Amino acid sequence: MSQTPLSTTPASAAVPRGLAESHSLVMALVGSGGDGVALLGDLMLRMAAQQGLYGMMVQSYGPQIRGGESAVILRIGRQETVYEGDRTDIFLCFRLADLKRFQGAVRLHPQSVVIQEESDTGDLPEWIGRSDRETYRYPFAKIENGIEVPGDPKNMLALALLCRVLGWPAALAREAIGHRFGSRPDVLGRNLAAFDRALAAAPPPPFPIAPGTGRSLFAETGNEAIARGAITAGLRFFAGYPITPSSEIMETLIDELPLAGGCVVQAEDEIAALGMVLGASFGGVPGMTATSGPGLSLMTEMTGLSSMAELPAVIVDCQRAGPATGMPSRTEQADLYHAVFAGHGDFPRAVLGVFDVVHAREVMYKAFTLSERYQLPVLVLSDAYIAQRRQIRAPVEDSRVPPERLVWKPGMGPARFDVGGEHGVTPFRVPGNPEGTYLAAGIEHTQEGYPTADGTIHQQMNAKRFRKLEAIARDTKDWFRTLGAPHAPRGIIAWGSQYGLMKEWVAGHPEYRVFLPEILHPFPIAALDAWRKNLESAAVVEMSYQGQLHRTLAGLTDLSGVVSVTRSGGTPMKQAELERLLDERRS
Amino acid sequence: MKAKDYRSPLEPVWCTGCGDYGVLKGLTQALADLEIPPERLAVISGIGCSSRLPGYTRSYSFNSIHGRALPIATGLKLARPEITTIVIGGDGDGFSIGLGHLPHAIRRNPDVTYAVLDNGIYGLTKGQSSPTTEVDFKRSRGLAGPDERPLNPVLLVLSSGCGFVARTHAGNLPHVRETMRAAIRYPGFSFVHVLAGCATFQTPSYAQEIYERCDMLPEGYDPTDFAKAVEATRGERFQLGVIYRRDPEALPEGALEPAGVAGIWQPRGGGVSEDAAHEE
Ligand SMILES: Cc1ncc(C[n+]2csc(CCOP(=O)(O)OP(=O)(O)O)c2C)c(N)n1
Ligand code: SF4
Ligand SMILES: [Mg+2]
């Protein structure tokens, strides 16, 4: 494995690890369904944010969406954190048997701190690696006559031990517990008592982390960021249907959209969800839906209607792995074809990709800008890895006004679908305007909206609608990000949540530069071609069996010599795997 | 305003003798009676011969995709409650491909009027069977008859908890007008089953037979009695009139009627605030 400067281990092995303050560390917390591992992670993340530390937390469930084992990976550091790290500095496990499912998710190094249930006497599995430090054992479980009975909340006991490991003040933890259980005094008391009991135990081995700035930050998930970014961008109507891993977008909006004067409907299915959004949009109100692959498939016909009837709509797809039901809680980047190409007939749409939680808000603003300005569907591709991640970020300061639709007023002239509109955009007729009545239609139509079966008109209308896409391509020609030195000899093209891995990778590999499109369709291909001049080698790195981005780009530019480094989704790619895949494709 | 002021400049492409003409006429008369300003009116449809109707009304109209008019109307009504919203569709559109949306529109109870122009056939796609094609449906073209039993759409709508359920026949213009007027006035989701003949795929005698199988609901019929309403949907004959009308303020009562939503449904948040709409 190559060196990773942002990772947890300082180069100097002379300093006993764990005693020097680390600038970034990774914790892995593993337990059973009821152990409260997720809450433990949340509390730790909150405490980090309060101290001005950055971090991110990802959760992993069993193959079933609810119940069973659960693991949390938490990385905390002094810099913005968008990659979960390669090695585990602190490993806490309530039940060894639960570890099996998370093979590969925990990787110990010689200085790792290991905290285990006292009654778990078995050995750690080989694959996990080895720490030179002695395992710390604590009786989390209450055992009577050889069976576990309800006892102290394990996560509170663990929270106290972790505070000791990190050197974090107990007051900070008490505040976090209070924040969580403040409304239920009896529960709060019980949890605080457990916390104090473990705090008084013999201290576990230390693994201190350098202090944060002291300026408090806050944590949100990718789904929350998408919901909130949409509200800032002018969303006032949302309809959706529950589906992993996107449901929290609707759940967040149920709480927060009414405060902005909007409303939320849980539709009977995804077809209805997008239908309702188009109805609201027809009424002049900016709308959005959010779903995952199966729902996006159902929305296909309706997406074409949005484009054909020129009704703005934002469609968020939190990609999960596989076709049909696939692997609902796993991440993948294999809905790209669907987003860019799905639907019968020719129609324009735009597709944006989300890099991380912070970027999610920015992308939503851009999505609404394009959809409202150009009166067409805009798809936003997030994925399970971003959607379900909780990430610490700087406080949001966004005072931008929402984008506005070009609205028709009496005397303005053009018919609703005038083919002469600038950039293909014609003023939108909002119901309520006495002279603006018209027919919106999914059937091909004349400039007035009336049905036609005339091939010449169809050609003209396609040209009108696709002029919008040309204008979007001009507006968005620099919607991409690059990483690394501009003249680095090796290039990687990646998108979406691969951003985190790429950021980490270039920091340790100065020979690499990376290109990450923010808009996937229309693709900023001129920018890509300019960026990739003088490369010795180049690869498209993505997570889809077919290499959907690589194949899509091959249709847009000469990709000869650019290799496809790809695999199916599942767990996110790590540096070691990327290194191996790049080596394989090079030889 | 007169009925003709609710017509768009577009001339219908329906076949001569199509029942849909009567509905267009009766509807525009009802709109004139109610003095609904065309700019406050939205007429929304899916796809089918009947779904062409919104193109012929002066309104904010939307001829969408097959079976999906109800969600679109629901979204519009929530976003713009002040817009009178009417959905027009066919039996294939509403009772086959789009049926899944119907009970949900009913339980949400937006103030939308839904008229299904039921000709018992797929007109636009040239005479295939629909969910309401009767077993002894008489076709004028050589397609095979149905081998499936039809469903009873009015009973289905009643049993879903719809607060206003009526039936009319497109050949009885004054009745179409009166029924549409009552449905549009009803504050809540209202359903109108319109028997509308298809001049092309039904034999004239079969169309006539349907007309003759219609009865007006008897004098003194109480449309608030749910059990009676259920009774009125059964049998070979078609009862015309307001079959069921629940007090829009009342909760559904009695064990017979499924629990529906009383009053006008509010989404989470209670609707979109005024300034959200880009209005003058
Ligand atoms: C998804 C989809 N499937 C099939 C069709 C073809 N199609 C158009 S209208 C129609 C049925 C029309 O019957 P009905 O709704 O009863 O309307 P009518 O023409 O009888 O008024 C069908 C099957 C379509 N447009 N879209
Ligand atoms: S085919 Fe039937 S339903 Fe369609 S327009 Fe002709 S008569 Fe009317
Ligand atoms: Mg029909």
Side-chain angles (χ1 to χ4, degrees):
Chain A
M1 221 194 104
S2 59
Q3 75 275 33
T4 56
L6 286 182
S7 92
T8 58
T9 317
S12 163
V15 185
R17 239 351 221 111
L19 297 179
E21 281 183 339
S22 164
H23 282 237
S24 157
L25 62 77
V26 177
M27 280 178 255
L29 316 170
V30 175
S32 297
D35 291 341
V37 166
L39 174 59
L40 175 59
D42 276 344
L43 293 175
M44 298 291 298
L45 202 70
R46 180 184 162 82
M47 290 163 65
Q50 295 265 295
Q51 302 173 71
L53 287 166
Y54 286 93
M56 66 179 262
M57 176 180 130
V58 291
Q59 232 180 309
S60 187
Y61 303 102
Q64 296 303 320
I65 295 171
R66 295 258 36 107
E69 320 87 325
S70 106
V72 155
I73 309 291
L74 196 71
R75 188 180 189 193
I76 289 169
R78 304 189 75 188
Q79 293 176 18
E80 196 166 65
T81 307
V82 288
Y83 177 69
E84 65 188 78
D86 298 293
R87 307 201 300 167
T88 311
D89 301 302
I90 301 169
F91 170 53
L92 184 143
C93 184
F94 292 126
R95 219 165 68 95
L96 215 47
D98 291 333
L99 188 55
K100 279 199 293 292
R101 269 238 319 101
F102 303 107
Q103 178 148 4
V106 186
R107 293 190 50 184
L108 300 181
H109 58 77
Q111 285 81 32
S112 300
V113 170
V114 177
I115 300 176
Q116 254 183 269
E117 162 61 40
E118 190 175 57
S119 61
D120 260 345
T121 49
D123 291 330
L124 289 174
E126 279 287 309
W127 59 260
I128 200 171
R130 258 182 46 78
S131 167
D132 293 341
R133 301 171 83 177
E134 198 180 333
T135 298
Y136 180 88
R137 291 177 189 279
Y138 188 87
F140 293 109
K142 188 172 177 192
I143 312 276
E144 280 175 8
N145 303 324
I147 47 169
E148 187 173 345
V149 296
D152 279 332
K154 292 182 188 179
N155 51 2
M156 293 299 131
L157 302 170
L159 185 64
L161 300 178
L162 290 173
C163 277
R164 302 288 298 264
V165 174
L166 296 168
W168 283 0
L172 197 62
R174 290 202 186 91
E175 188 272 340
I177 300 169
H179 181 261
R180 182 66 169 72
F181 297 111
S183 58
R184 289 177 292 165
D186 49 329
V187 184
L188 177 64
R190 220 167 73 81
N191 281 281
L192 283 174
F195 175 82
D196 287 336
R197 193 148 38 251
L199 201 66
F207 202 116
I209 181 163
T213 57
R215 192 173 78 105
S216 121
L217 304 169
F218 88 104
E220 69 181 353
T221 65
N223 280 343
E224 287 167 348
I226 281 186
R228 291 169 186 156
I231 295 174
T232 307
L235 171 71
R236 291 299 176 270
F237 182 87
F238 179 92
Y241 187 78
I243 185 167
T244 302
S246 80
S247 300
E248 297 84 4
I249 295 175
M250 178 166 72
E251 288 160 17
T252 305
L253 287 170
I254 286 171
D255 287 341
E256 301 183 16
L257 187 55
L259 304 176
C263 75
V264 178
V265 186
Q266 181 173 322
E268 58 270 28
D269 57 40
E270 288 86 348
I271 300 173
L274 185 50
M276 290 178 190
V277 167
L278 295 190
S281 185
F282 176 71
V285 172
M288 171 175 109
T289 184
T291 186
S292 185
L296 191 68
S297 291
L298 289 185
M299 289 177 190
T300 308
E301 187 189 16
M302 209 45 104
T303 307
L305 178 64
S306 164
S307 197
M308 185 70 157
E310 306 199 38
L311 300 170
V314 173
I315 303 162
V316 178
D317 172 23
C318 297
Q319 297 166 96
R320 60 196 225 179
T325 302
M327 304 194 290
S329 61
R330 299 292 185 206
T331 196
E332 197 166 71
Q333 298 182 295
D335 290 357
L336 180 64
Y337 278 175
H338 192 109
V340 175
F341 299 119
H344 55 282
D346 298 309
F347 65 87
R349 77 196 86 187
V351 182
L352 306 178
V354 183
F355 296 144
D356 71 340
V357 173
V358 174
H359 185 233
R361 290 199 188 218
E362 183 57 27
V363 165
M364 294 317 293
Y365 193 86
K366 288 180 160 160
F368 277 91
T369 302
L370 293 183
S371 79
E372 289 293 316
R373 220 178 252 168
Y374 290 100
Q375 303 176 20
L376 45 61
V378 175
L379 292 98
V380 174
L381 293 177
S382 177
D383 64 43
Y385 193 37
I386 297 170
Q388 301 294 323
R389 157 196 321 181
R390 193 173 282 282
Q391 187 181 319
I392 298 177
R393 58 160 300 153
V396 183
E397 282 155 27
D398 193 346
S399 53
R400 286 178 295 185
V401 293
E404 281 210 27
R405 221 178 272 191
L406 175 65
V407 170
W408 186 86
K409 295 189 179 64
M412 255 187 169
R416 171 66 186 103
F417 303 108
D418 191 294
V419 292
E422 199 196 351
H423 309 321
V425 179
T426 30
F428 192 94
R429 296 178 178 228
V430 180
N433 193 315
E435 286 150 63
T437 57
Y438 77 107
L439 177 68
I443 197 163
E444 187 58 285
H445 40 263
T446 62
Q447 306 193 50
E448 289 71 35
Y450 296 140
T452 180
D454 180 328
T456 309
I457 296 178
H458 179 44
Q459 170 72 12
Q460 281 174 354
M461 280 292 163
N462 268 332
K464 172 217 193 290
R465 291 187 290 260
F466 273 92
R467 276 213 305 287
K468 300 197 266 187
L469 201 63
E470 289 161 24
I472 289 175
R474 286 192 294 273
D475 283 4
T476 63
K477 60 183 187 306
D478 46 10
W479 287 18
F480 61 88
R481 243 181 231 186
T482 59
L483 299 170
H487 300 295
R490 294 181 181 173
I492 292 177
I493 302 157
W495 70 283
S497 64
Q498 297 287 58
Y499 170 72
L501 170 64
M502 292 303 142
K503 214 175 155 203
E504 194 90 1
W505 180 258
V506 293
H509 298 81
E511 71 278 24
Y512 277 89
R513 61 176 118 144
V514 178
F515 182 94
L516 294 134
E518 193 176 33
I519 182 158
L520 294 146
H521 179 79
F523 198 95
I525 200 73
L528 176 71
D529 282 335
W531 167 87
R532 70 193 182 108
K533 290 219 171 83
N534 306 318
L535 278 175
E536 281 168 19
S537 68
V540 179
V541 177
E542 57 188 312
M543 275 213 282
S544 91
Y545 184 81
Q546 301 178 93
Q548 295 186 2
L549 180 60
H550 187 270
R551 288 171 182 239
T552 303
L553 290 177
L556 298 174
T557 185
D558 177 10
L559 266 204
S560 49
V562 180
V563 296
S564 171
V565 171
T566 192
R567 65 144 160 97
S568 302
T571 51
M573 231 182 249
K574 297 283 199 69
Q575 294 201 80
E577 186 187 5
L578 176 60
E579 173 148 58
R580 182 172 57 72
L581 291 173
L582 285 170
D583 282 348
E584 275 173 20
R585 294 297 282 129
R586 242 198 310 273
S587 51
Chain B
M1 290 222 292
K2 302 228 170 54
K4 67 171 173 34
D5 297 322
Y6 288 89
R7 285 276 286 102
S8 79
L10 201 60
E11 274 313 309
V13 292
W14 292 316
C15 312
T16 306
C18 175
D20 296 350
Y21 284 104
V23 184
L24 178 61
K25 183 132 215 180
L27 171 66
T28 50
Q29 287 171 344
L31 292 168
D33 294 344
L34 296 170
E35 298 179 336
I36 295 166
E39 71 269 19
R40 300 256 148 180
L41 173 67
V43 186
I44 299 175
S45 68
I47 292 291
C49 294
S50 39
S51 291
R52 292 258 180 178
L53 192 144
Y56 310 137
T57 56
R58 183 147 81 89
S59 54
Y60 283 87
S61 307
F62 193 172
N63 183 182
S64 73
I65 51 176
H66 198 30
R68 313 301 171 194
L70 284 179
I72 291 171
T74 303
L76 172 63
K77 191 69 192 180
L78 291 175
R80 302 290 307 278
E82 75 278 23
I83 304 289
T84 300
T85 305
I86 297 171
V87 176
I88 302 287
D91 40 315
D93 191 78
F95 303 145
S96 192
I97 193 166
L99 185 68
H101 303 302
L102 184 52
H104 299 285
I106 289 170
R107 74 187 171 85
R108 292 191 183 107
N109 202 23
D111 186 5
V112 165
T113 295
Y114 181 30
V116 175
L117 281 48
D118 186 356
N119 51 15
I121 203 84
Y122 284 8
L124 191 75
T125 48
K126 300 194 170 64
Q128 300 86 355
S129 300
S130 94
T132 52
T133 308
E134 297 185 328
V135 177
D136 51 2
F137 188 101
K138 307 288 188 314
R139 295 167 198 243
S140 52
R141 304 274 171 108
L143 285 172
D147 50 14
E148 298 163 338
R149 278 153 40 85
L151 59 76
N152 180 339
V154 176
L155 184 56
L156 191 131
V157 163
L158 265 177
S159 67
S160 300
C162 189
F164 182 101
V165 183
R167 185 189 275 131
T168 185
H169 191 292
N172 185 341
L173 252 183
H175 195 256
V176 174
R177 176 184 192 163
E178 177 193 323
T179 309
M180 288 309 295
R181 213 167 43 208
I184 294 167
R185 264 213 200 107
Y186 184 77
F189 191 85
S190 51
F191 175 83
V192 182
H193 187 221
V194 189
L195 297 166
C198 171
T200 300
F201 297 104
Q202 290 170 334
T203 62
S205 61
Y206 178 67
Q208 183 63 27
E209 180 201 316
I210 298 256
Y211 188 72
E212 281 164 11
R213 268 160 59 199
C214 291
D215 298 320
M216 287 298 158
L217 282 165
E219 194 82 2
Y221 175 83
D222 176 10
T224 64
D225 186 333
F226 184 73
K228 287 258 166 53
V230 169
E231 201 51 44
T233 68
R234 294 178 177 278
E236 282 291 289
R237 301 192 64 81
F238 298 111
Q239 309 294 325
L240 305 191
V242 178
I243 293 170
Y244 184 62
R245 189 185 188 286
R246 183 173 61 224
D247 174 355
E249 299 300 315
L251 277 163
E253 48 168 279
L256 270 171
E257 186 174 359
V261 184
I264 306 299
W265 174 69
Q266 291 282 302
R268 311 204 204 230
V272 179
S273 68
E274 278 287 305
D275 59 354
H278 305 274
E279 239 200 307
E280 321 295 299

